[in-house]
Amino acid sequence: YQRRVHGGKQLTIVFTDIEKSTSMWNKYEHDMAYSLKIHNSIIRKNARRTDGYEVKTIGDSFMMTFRNPVDAFEFCKSVQFDLYNETWPETIRGFYTNFNEIENFSWNGLRVRMGIHMGDADLEYDPRTNRVDYFGTNVNKASRVESLAHGGQVLVSEEIHDLPELSQLKFRSIGSYPLKGLGNHQLYELETVPGRTFPAPIIKDDEPEIPGVCTTCSRKCKWCAKHNPHSFGTGGIRSAIRSAISEVSSYSMS
């Protein structure tokens, strides 16, 4: 991947995350370990094919960058179709259906949420990891767009949706939603696997506290605080627990 490092000007930034992965790890650890290998292989295969740069991965979440926005959208669509067409363990295939819905033929296996945004970002090389990382408002916005998506859904910011080179893609406007600390923004859903429908985004009022400097990326990284609290020591773990308790309480009251 090192040859695919992208400059910080007008990057297309993609975040991904597996929906309800913690619950699946808790119930089906062996099958989830197997499924995660498939998931990671699909992500990386499509990143290579579309000139994507893997900035970092924490747990089952990826941050990717692309020079060309068309490549980013091709990456997201291909990943969704490859996940859908994969052969998964029965426990993983049936998990979401058993959890909250009637089975239909638009779904199969792991459900990965994705968020896409475009803009400039600060670039920094980390000699410890021999990799480049990106920081700044546009990175934060891409992460927040992803956080509003449901599993299997690709959400897109208004800035990148309006690019003329994407006019052949099919989008659905889902309205204006608050992105934590960034105000309200118009969002769009990219059409991928036919037949999929999604409810409105779930707005979360809480956000993980940043307890210190992250040992993964050497910065006060909000994404790491969410996905890898151990990188901040015990303070980060406590912060993640408080955030999780808040999420469970919010879900129980809805």
Side-chain angles (χ1 to χ4, degrees), residues 134-192:
Y134 300 88
F135 306 93
T137 299
N138 287 311
V139 175
N140 293 338
K141 184 170 181 177
S143 177
R144 284 160 170 73
V145 171
E146 174 261 303
S147 71
L148 293 184
H150 297 277
Q153 186 179 36
V154 181
L155 290 186
V156 180
S157 69
E158 183 174 23
E159 289 86 343
I160 196 167
H161 165 268
D162 292 340
L163 293 176
E165 56 263 47
L166 303 176
S167 60
Q168 299 302 311
L169 297 175
K170 294 183 179 180
F171 296 95
R172 181 178 72 89
S173 173
I174 66 168
S176 180
Y177 288 88
L179 304 179
K180 184 75 172 182
L182 299 173
N184 282 21
H185 293 267
Q186 177 70 34
L187 298 178
Y188 297 84
E189 175 192 316
L190 172 68
E191 182 179 301
T192 58

Side-chain angles (χ1 to χ4, degrees), residues 61-114:
S61 302
F62 280 78
M63 175 184 175
M64 317 289 298
T65 60
F66 298 81
R67 290 190 187 92
N68 188 331
V70 175
D71 290 337
F73 281 85
E74 175 62 24
F75 165 80
C76 290
K77 290 190 70 171
S78 296
V79 166
Q80 293 295 340
F81 275 98
D82 285 353
L83 291 169
Y84 173 74
N85 290 318
E86 185 57 64
T87 300
W88 302 97
E90 285 298 318
T91 53
I92 303 302
R93 287 187 68 247
F95 176 81
Y96 298 97
T97 301
N98 294 335
F99 189 82
N100 64 359
E101 68 176 41
I102 298 173
E103 184 174 9
N104 68 71
F105 295 105
S106 298
W107 299 101
N108 177 39
L110 294 179
R111 299 188 183 183
V112 175
R113 61 172 63 92
M114 295 177 158

